Amino acid sequence: MNKILRVNMKELTVKAEPTRKEYQFLGGRALIARLLLDEVKPACEPLGRHNKLIFAPGLLGGSKVPSSGRISIGGKSPLTGGIKESNGGGVVGLKLGRLGYKAVIIEEIPRNEEKYLLKITADGAELIPAGEYWGLGVYQTAALLRQQFGDKVAVSCIGPAGEKKLAAAGIANTDTNGVPSRYSGRGGLGAVMGAKGIKAVIIDDSNSGAGEPANPEQYKEALRQYSRILKESPVIKTYTDYGTAAMVQVTNAIGGLPTRNFTTGHFEGAEKISGEALRETILARQGKTRHNCMPGCLIGCSNVYVDAAGKEIVSPLEYETIALMGSNLDIHDLDAIARLNYLCNDYGLDTIETGAALGVAMAGGVIPFGDKQGAINLVHEIGKGTILGRVLGMGAQIAGKVLGVINVPAVKGQAMAAYDPRAIKGVGVTYATSPMGADHTAGNTVRNQVDHHSAQGQAELSAKSQYTVPVYDALGLCLFTSAGIGASPEVLCQLVNAQLGTDFTPETLFKMAADTVKWEREFNQQAGFTKYDDRLPEYFYETPNPATNTVFDVSDEEMDQVHK
Amino acid sequence: MNKILRVNMKELTVKAEPTRKEYQFLGGRALIARLLLDEVKPACEPLGRHNKLIFAPGLLGGSKVPSSGRISIGGKSPLTGGIKESNGGGVVGLKLGRLGYKAVIIEEIPRNEEKYLLKITADGAELIPAGEYWGLGVYQTAALLRQQFGDKVAVSCIGPAGEKKLAAAGIANTDTNGVPSRYSGRGGLGAVMGAKGIKAVIIDDSNSGAGEPANPEQYKEALRQYSRILKESPVIKTYTDYGTAAMVQVTNAIGGLPTRNFTTGHFEGAEKISGEALRETILARQGKTRHNCMPGCLIGCSNVYVDAAGKEIVSPLEYETIALMGSNLDIHDLDAIARLNYLCNDYGLDTIETGAALGVAMAGGVIPFGDKQGAINLVHEIGKGTILGRVLGMGAQIAGKVLGVINVPAVKGQAMAAYDPRAIKGVGVTYATSPMGADHTAGNTVRNQVDHHSAQGQAELSAKSQYTVPVYDALGLCLFTSAGIGASPEVLCQLVNAQLGTDFTPETLFKMAADTVKWEREFNQQAGFTKYDDRLPEYFYETPNPATNTVFDVSDEEMDQVHK
């Protein structure tokens, strides 16, 4: 990978350029952080001409390393007003990498609100008028694009939510089946894509390089070790069997499963929406567990959730969605949650942000908690862009302001994921201090064997995680591999070096991670953020979580040490 | 004045306490800045229990000095997230001062959302259940309260907008006629009052001190000079004849009259909404020009605007409203503007914020520009609290986000007043750098004889004004007196010292002003504001005002020097 594709939506030009030397050993999130800091004025209007939308595979993108094809999508977030990298699975990262692109940088906005498709092949790239694709849901968009451009293409696209520039809009990436359900969901980057007038990026890697390793012998041995380690991990085994939904019973037991707009962390209906229930239902109905989002994945945390007749409702159904659109809404019905998930996907909405916004709407009395049909109706309102829909589509924080709900689970304007910060305090520290806003993937601590209710040591735990995650996000590796390979960074380096011909050490990899967070914080600082933004909403400090009888009590001083 | 009244809405207690020594020579805005910095955590939730709402007359409050009865109301703003002092005319400041109160501090929020009236008399204060007052418009509220408590009482109250905690809600103060039309409009402090469950503060100054000067002989002489200076000022003569509406033709000639959501600064219909047209209409219909909001005012900038049958529509009709709800909405009909003004007043809405929000709604296609009846309908939506109404009632910035309008004339979340910052650049500097958000009263430069289109010297001009205004806001003096007395600070000191028995010099008065801004900025800094918040929206730097062909081009470096 040695090229950067620059797309100018004002001039309607595409241009491949060589990668600058200082970007050579950066990929994914790390490259995005550096590029945004170098090229975008942090104080710019996120939906205006100065923001840039960047697609960057990780350094391993295009290789055959299992689980290495994640795509990082970045820009200034319309939700947080800060920097954002939003990471998705599927085959987009793989195919961009195979075409030799380290990054696709989309600049400017169209002069007259024209809409386009961006098609990228081995022969170059071009902008094609989006025509009737504009307005379609992501499922139909991807299906029609694959009819038009061949069923081997990968697609990143937005739905009506992104087109309407709603801040809860994500970007959908196609998986191994061509289904656009691998979401770069967070941060509202779908709205940035909508503002740039791009409905979809279509990537055709026919006639591209084969992603062969630089050093095949070393690669073979390193791959063997890597694969063994992943296969032996009990955590990964759980992902394979139950998917991320295994977390439902874990967080519910800790008292950290967000329930009824984060008013408690224990949900009476948890069992009905648990990983076990999910697996049993899927197996009984002949759906699919152990589903891969990327080719050759050794984890297979995904699934295909089907209805009683065996017909697919949504794929995958994951923990964060089950919590935010289940317990958080007082809904203990996997079918209903799956339907909500499908709808959000199709409209192009992040299920976390949308679930949190619906929780706020229920807290504000728009519909009662537990009202399944009401929730579905509200998602339709968002998709249609009614006034109420636009309020909710702007995310939980704006929804709270408009609906008069003060207790909104959000930091820096972005909704929390599915961990109550009073019960799982390390995640609370991450929510507060991550440059990404409240984002569990920026530094999840829930798997650590600690007293999650105690404030002690949580800042350090979060810091350790926050400074580890960017390694994976820069390589394009699925974060779940860290459950195995995290303990063997030297093996990871051998694999990376064998593939790329580099000489990374664990130290230089972690240095890249630290630089990434430093650049992101520098961007945010110039966007106006201070330590006072690195805090949770007031009520988490003052209103106990009834399931644990704890408040969030990690001190400001400790929080301010996270990035020291 | 030597007492502070402390009202706790959780405990439902009222307590008068002596003024701490360090507050002795502070009043109005200066006292509010110091109190908020001392007592309120700047990062707190504005509508939560930690915010405080403070009513503080100026140091001259309660005296017979003409135009000295302004009331300062302050707290953390739900609109800007920073400190706010919102200054109003009428008789509230006078009567609180006569009762000896330097400040009324309302703390906490009710346990069970109960609603109260706060009654303050010479015998003490008490909380009375608000009963059926809750829900009434401000006009009916004040009229009924004056029936119940006697027509000599002063009233500060909120309307439905404040009850609904909408961020565009102001607080209405009664004038010499008992009409609650003197607005502490800006910053959304009506929502803070609503959150505290206070519908109205009723002040009965029967049996209070007479506000006699400490040194009657000196006072008499100083007053004579003060009055002569005011009477001789040609600017004040204009205020008397035309009211603030005289500004319409001034800003329109400069190209700075906000028109159609600040897309241009020249309004074709300016003449029809000018001060001249206003005066002619009022005189022809036997309304009233030269109306006083405070007893004994020498300026009389207020008016009573009547319909063709001579029936009052609204009092007063002022420049900012005429521009924001007139030219800004493409409405060139004083009757329609007056009706919009009345409606906003009655619902308890700031006409500047609401006018800007309506401009955004028109830009967003909710209704067309120029649609008078549509605008009236939208104000009713706000008052009723429909979803669309709540969106608009949260102010221009939130409305822009929800309605997908990027070009919103606001700084720090607060809408600009009636001066296009590309045409009147000193006001642009004030909008950007004032701790109050976009607020013309924090440092208006329009009356200076400079080239308003040139960036040169505008930062200094704004700074000078921003560090002068707090003198008036601390004394309780109407800012319009500065048009005369501003050039004779020694006379002002003589008057103040004769009244209070103090030994202020121009230097110590200006020192208090500088301290005020310093404290306000310190509060904001701890609320998370940085220099990056001291900027105008992007489009003012990039899209020329067609009336002047200028963009806002005061450099960031110059802006950052304003408070140095």
Side-chain angles (χ1 to χ4, degrees):
Chain A
M1 290 192 298
N2 52 14
K3 293 178 295 185
I4 284 181
L5 182 67
R6 214 172 267 279
V7 181
N8 185 309
M9 295 308 298
K10 184 177 171 200
E11 305 303 335
L12 301 176
T13 54
V14 293
K15 194 182 73 174
E17 60 188 35
T19 302
R20 280 164 56 184
K21 203 176 152 211
E22 57 268 44
Y23 299 153
Q24 197 176 347
F25 300 113
L26 301 175
R29 176 175 166 190
L31 180 59
I32 282 172
R34 187 67 250 176
L35 278 171
L36 287 173
L37 191 58
D38 287 348
E39 299 194 3
V40 172
K41 191 180 165 186
C44 76
E45 161 59 47
L47 301 177
R49 54 181 285 246
H50 297 295
N51 197 7
K52 300 190 181 185
L53 184 69
I54 304 177
F55 292 72
L59 284 170
L60 294 175
S63 77
K64 289 173 178 160
V65 175
S67 308
S68 75
R70 304 279 300 180
I71 181 74
S72 286
I73 307 181
K76 175 167 174 166
S77 163
L79 201 55
T80 70
I83 199 167
K84 190 72 207 174
E85 181 259 8
S86 193
N87 193 292
V91 296
V92 169
L94 172 70
K95 288 181 190 273
L96 268 184
R98 284 169 62 93
L99 287 172
Y101 288 110
K102 279 184 88 71
V104 177
I105 305 176
I106 302 173
E107 311 180 335
E108 281 284 356
I109 54 175
R111 290 173 205 259
N112 299 308
E113 304 202 357
E114 313 96 309
K115 320 300 181 191
Y116 289 91
L117 309 173
L118 172 63
K119 187 181 157 206
I120 306 173
T121 71
D123 297 329
E126 61 177 318
L127 289 164
I128 303 167
E132 299 193 350
Y133 284 102
W134 198 261
L136 299 184
V138 304
Y139 291 107
Q140 203 183 351
T141 298
L144 291 175
L145 286 172
R146 291 171 78 240
Q147 274 183 25
Q148 182 174 351
F149 295 102
D151 62 6
K152 294 281 189 282
V153 302
V155 172
S156 281
C157 68
I158 56 172
E163 296 174 7
K164 293 179 204 307
K165 303 177 201 171
L166 297 176
I171 298 172
N173 306 295
T174 48
D175 68 5
T176 45
N177 304 118
V179 175
S181 59
R182 319 311 309 192
Y183 257 88
S184 296
R186 311 238 56 202
L189 295 178
V192 178
M193 193 156 156
K196 304 227 168 280
I198 302 262
K199 174 68 179 179
V201 181
I202 303 127
I203 303 136
D204 182 347
D205 66 343
S206 310
N207 310 316
S208 66
E212 295 302 334
N215 190 325
E217 282 310 305
Q218 278 178 26
Y219 178 81
K220 206 169 148 189
E221 170 55 22
L223 180 66
R224 201 185 51 76
Q225 287 193 55
Y226 170 83
S227 303
R228 180 183 51 76
I229 289 169
L230 293 199
K231 282 178 188 157
E232 285 174 1
S233 159
V235 172
I236 287 177
K237 175 79 165 68
T238 309
Y239 279 129
T240 305
D241 291 345
Y242 297 97
T244 55
M247 190 56 72
V248 171
Q249 296 279 39
V250 177
T251 54
N252 196 50
I254 303 174
L257 179 64
T259 301
R260 291 180 285 279
N261 190 37
F262 283 73
T263 51
T264 179
H266 179 79
F267 183 45
E268 313 76 27
E271 215 168 300
K272 293 185 189 154
I273 60 170
S274 66
E276 294 76 3
L278 179 68
R279 181 178 169 82
E280 279 168 28
T281 307
I282 289 176
L283 292 179
R285 293 174 175 180
Q286 302 187 299
K288 189 162 171 43
T289 63
R290 190 173 189 160
H291 178 252
N292 292 356
C293 79
M294 305 184 205
C297 176
L298 301 171
I299 305 173
C301 73
S302 178
N303 56 45
V304 179
Y305 188 87
V306 296
D307 65 16
K311 187 163 169 285
E312 178 173 328
I313 301 180
V314 77
S315 167
L317 183 55
E318 294 194 279
Y319 170 64
E320 305 296 331
T321 306
I322 291 172
L324 267 301
M325 308 203 96
S327 52
N328 189 52
L329 306 184
D330 208 356
I331 293 175
H332 47 70
D333 174 343
L334 282 173
D335 285 4
I337 297 167
R339 287 182 209 286
L340 282 165
N341 192 347
Y342 175 86
L343 271 186
C344 285
N345 284 358
D346 198 35
Y347 284 129
L349 288 162
D350 177 24
T351 53
I352 297 178
E353 194 66 45
T354 308
L358 292 183
V360 166
M362 288 174 169
V366 176
I367 56 171
F369 278 107
D371 181 355
K372 292 182 275 195
Q373 189 54 49
I376 285 171
N377 295 345
L378 289 183
V379 176
H380 282 304
E381 296 241 8
I382 303 175
K384 287 180 201 147
T386 65
I387 294 292
L388 175 58
R390 291 195 62 97
V391 168
L392 301 173
M394 287 306 295
Q397 182 136 314
I398 295 278
K401 281 187 188 285
V402 172
L403 301 173
V405 176
I406 289 172
N407 293 352
V408 175
V411 179
K412 298 186 179 71
Q414 181 172 266
M416 290 179 185
Y419 310 86
D420 188 302
R422 294 163 296 194
I424 306 165
K425 293 182 181 171
V427 178
V429 176
T430 298
Y431 287 160
T433 62
S434 165
M436 295 290 151
D439 185 340
H440 65 298
T441 67
N444 201 337
T445 64
V446 71
R447 294 195 175 281
N448 292 78
Q449 299 299 316
V450 299
D451 177 0
H452 293 287
H453 297 182
S454 161
Q456 206 174 2
Q458 300 291 351
E460 293 88 332
L461 211 57
S462 166
K464 199 178 150 199
S465 185
Q466 287 192 58
Y467 282 86
T468 299
V469 167
V471 169
Y472 297 85
D473 295 342
L475 293 173
L477 271 185
C478 172
L479 200 49
F480 294 166
T481 65
S482 70
I485 201 69
S488 307
E490 67 294 342
V491 174
L492 182 57
C493 285
Q494 283 159 18
L495 187 64
V496 171
N497 292 335
Q499 173 66 32
L500 302 176
T502 49
D503 52 2
F504 279 112
T505 63
E507 290 68 34
T508 55
L509 274 184
F510 279 97
K511 169 72 165 52
M512 176 166 58
D515 283 345
T516 302
V517 178
K518 188 183 76 178
W519 296 330
E520 290 169 346
R521 283 174 52 81
E522 209 169 308
F523 186 98
N524 279 2
Q525 184 256 322
Q526 291 180 42
F529 286 87
T530 70
K531 65 177 180 180
Y532 300 105
D533 298 297
D534 287 354
R535 303 288 182 262
L536 296 183
E538 194 169 283
Y539 73 109
F540 287 110
Y541 295 91
E542 303 191 347
T543 309
N545 173 343
T548 58
N549 202 27
T550 51
V551 295
F552 185 78
D553 56 355
V554 180
S555 72
D556 290 353
E557 292 68 33
E558 286 177 279
M559 303 258 269
D560 293 340
Q561 287 300 314
V562 165
H563 295 292
K564 288 286 153 57
Chain B
M1 292 192 295
N2 52 13
K3 294 178 295 184
I4 283 181
L5 182 67
R6 214 173 267 279
V7 181
N8 185 309
M9 295 309 297
K10 183 179 174 197
E11 306 302 334
L12 301 176
T13 54
V14 292
K15 195 182 72 174
E17 60 188 36
T19 302
R20 281 164 57 185
K21 204 178 151 206
E22 58 268 44
Y23 299 154
Q24 197 175 346
F25 300 115
L26 300 175
R29 175 174 167 190
L31 180 59
I32 282 172
R34 188 66 249 174
L35 278 169
L36 287 173
L37 191 59
D38 287 348
E39 299 194 3
V40 172
K41 190 178 165 187
C44 75
E45 162 57 48
L47 300 177
R49 54 181 285 247
H50 298 293
N51 197 8
K52 300 191 181 185
L53 184 69
I54 304 176
F55 292 73
L59 284 169
L60 293 175
S63 77
K64 290 175 178 159
V65 174
S67 309
S68 76
R70 302 280 300 181
I71 181 73
S72 286
I73 307 181
K76 175 168 173 165
S77 163
L79 200 56
T80 70
I83 199 166
K84 191 70 209 175
E85 181 258 9
S86 193
N87 193 292
V91 296
V92 168
L94 172 72
K95 287 179 188 277
L96 269 183
R98 284 170 60 95
L99 286 170
Y101 288 110
K102 277 185 89 71
V104 177
I105 305 176
I106 302 174
E107 310 181 335
E108 282 284 356
I109 54 176
R111 292 174 205 259
N112 299 307
E113 306 203 357
E114 313 96 308
K115 321 300 181 192
Y116 290 91
L117 309 172
L118 172 64
K119 187 180 156 205
I120 306 172
T121 70
D123 296 330
E126 62 178 317
L127 288 164
I128 304 166
E132 300 194 348
Y133 284 103
W134 198 262
L136 300 185
V138 305
Y139 290 108
Q140 202 182 354
T141 298
L144 291 174
L145 286 172
R146 293 171 79 238
Q147 273 184 25
Q148 183 175 349
F149 295 102
D151 63 7
K152 293 282 190 282
V153 300
V155 172
S156 282
C157 67
I158 57 173
E163 295 175 6
K164 294 180 203 305
K165 304 176 200 170
L166 296 176
I171 299 172
N173 305 294
T174 49
D175 68 5
T176 45
N177 304 118
V179 175
S181 58
R182 316 313 308 191
Y183 257 88
S184 296
R186 310 238 56 202
L189 295 177
V192 178
M193 193 156 158
K196 304 228 168 279
I198 302 263
K199 175 67 180 178
V201 181
I202 302 127
I203 304 135
D204 181 347
D205 65 342
S206 310
N207 309 315
S208 67
E212 295 303 334
N215 191 326
E217 282 310 304
Q218 278 177 23
Y219 178 81
K220 205 168 148 189
E221 170 56 20
L223 180 66
R224 201 185 51 75
Q225 287 194 53
Y226 170 84
S227 306
R228 180 184 51 77
I229 289 169
L230 295 199
K231 282 177 190 160
E232 286 174 0
S233 159
V235 172
I236 289 178
K237 174 78 165 66
T238 308
Y239 280 129
T240 306
D241 291 345
Y242 296 98
T244 56
M247 190 57 72
V248 171
Q249 298 277 38
V250 176
T251 55
N252 195 51
I254 303 174
L257 179 64
T259 300
R260 293 181 285 277
N261 190 38
F262 283 72
T263 50
T264 180
H266 180 79
F267 183 47
E268 313 75 26
E271 213 168 301
K272 292 185 189 154
I273 60 170
S274 66
E276 293 75 5
L278 178 68
R279 181 177 169 85
E280 277 170 29
T281 306
I282 290 176
L283 292 180
R285 293 174 174 179
Q286 299 188 303
K288 190 162 168 41
T289 62
R290 190 172 189 159
H291 177 253
N292 291 357
C293 79
M294 306 183 204
C297 176
L298 301 171
I299 305 174
C301 73
S302 177
N303 56 46
V304 179
Y305 187 87
V306 297
D307 65 14
K311 188 164 167 284
E312 177 172 329
I313 301 179
V314 76
S315 167
L317 183 55
E318 294 194 281
Y319 170 64
E320 306 295 332
T321 306
I322 291 172
L324 267 302
M325 309 203 94
S327 51
N328 188 52
L329 307 184
D330 207 354
I331 293 175
H332 47 70
D333 172 344
L334 282 173
D335 285 5
I337 298 167
R339 286 182 210 288
L340 281 165
N341 192 348
Y342 175 87
L343 270 186
C344 285
N345 283 359
D346 198 33
Y347 284 128
L349 288 162
D350 177 22
T351 52
I352 296 178
E353 194 66 46
T354 307
L358 293 184
V360 166
M362 288 175 169
V366 176
I367 56 171
F369 279 107
D371 181 355
K372 293 181 273 195
Q373 188 56 47
I376 285 171
N377 294 346
L378 289 182
V379 176
H380 281 304
E381 296 242 6
I382 303 175
K384 287 180 201 148
T386 65
I387 294 291
L388 175 59
R390 291 195 63 96
V391 168
L392 301 174
M394 288 306 293
Q397 183 137 313
I398 296 277
K401 280 186 189 287
V402 172
L403 300 175
V405 176
I406 289 172
N407 293 351
V408 174
V411 179
K412 298 185 180 71
Q414 181 172 266
M416 290 178 185
Y419 309 86
D420 188 300
R422 295 164 293 195
I424 306 164
K425 293 183 181 170
V427 178
V429 175
T430 298
Y431 286 160
T433 62
S434 166
M436 295 291 152
D439 185 340
H440 66 296
T441 67
N444 200 338
T445 65
V446 71
R447 292 194 177 282
N448 293 78
Q449 299 298 315
V450 299
D451 177 2
H452 291 288
H453 296 183
S454 161
Q456 204 175 6
Q458 300 293 351
E460 295 87 333
L461 209 59
S462 166
K464 199 179 152 198
S465 184
Q466 287 193 57
Y467 283 86
T468 299
V469 167
V471 169
Y472 296 85
D473 294 343
L475 293 173
L477 271 186
C478 172
L479 200 50
F480 295 165
T481 65
S482 70
I485 201 69
S488 309
E490 68 294 342
V491 174
L492 181 58
C493 286
Q494 284 160 18
L495 186 66
V496 171
N497 292 335
Q499 172 66 31
L500 301 175
T502 49
D503 52 3
F504 279 110
T505 63
E507 289 69 34
T508 56
L509 273 184
F510 279 98
K511 171 69 166 53
M512 175 166 58
D515 283 346
T516 301
V517 177
K518 188 182 76 178
W519 296 329
E520 290 169 346
R521 283 174 53 81
E522 209 169 311
F523 186 99
N524 278 3
Q525 185 254 322
Q526 291 180 44
F529 285 88
T530 70
K531 65 177 178 179
Y532 299 105
D533 299 297
D534 286 354
R535 302 288 181 264
L536 295 184
E538 196 169 280
Y539 72 107
F540 287 111
Y541 295 91
E542 302 191 346
T543 309
N545 173 342
T548 58
N549 202 27
T550 51
V551 296
F552 185 77
D553 56 354
V554 180
S555 72
D556 290 353
E557 293 67 33
E558 285 176 280
M559 304 258 269
D560 294 340
Q561 286 300 314
V562 164
H563 296 292
K564 288 287 155 57

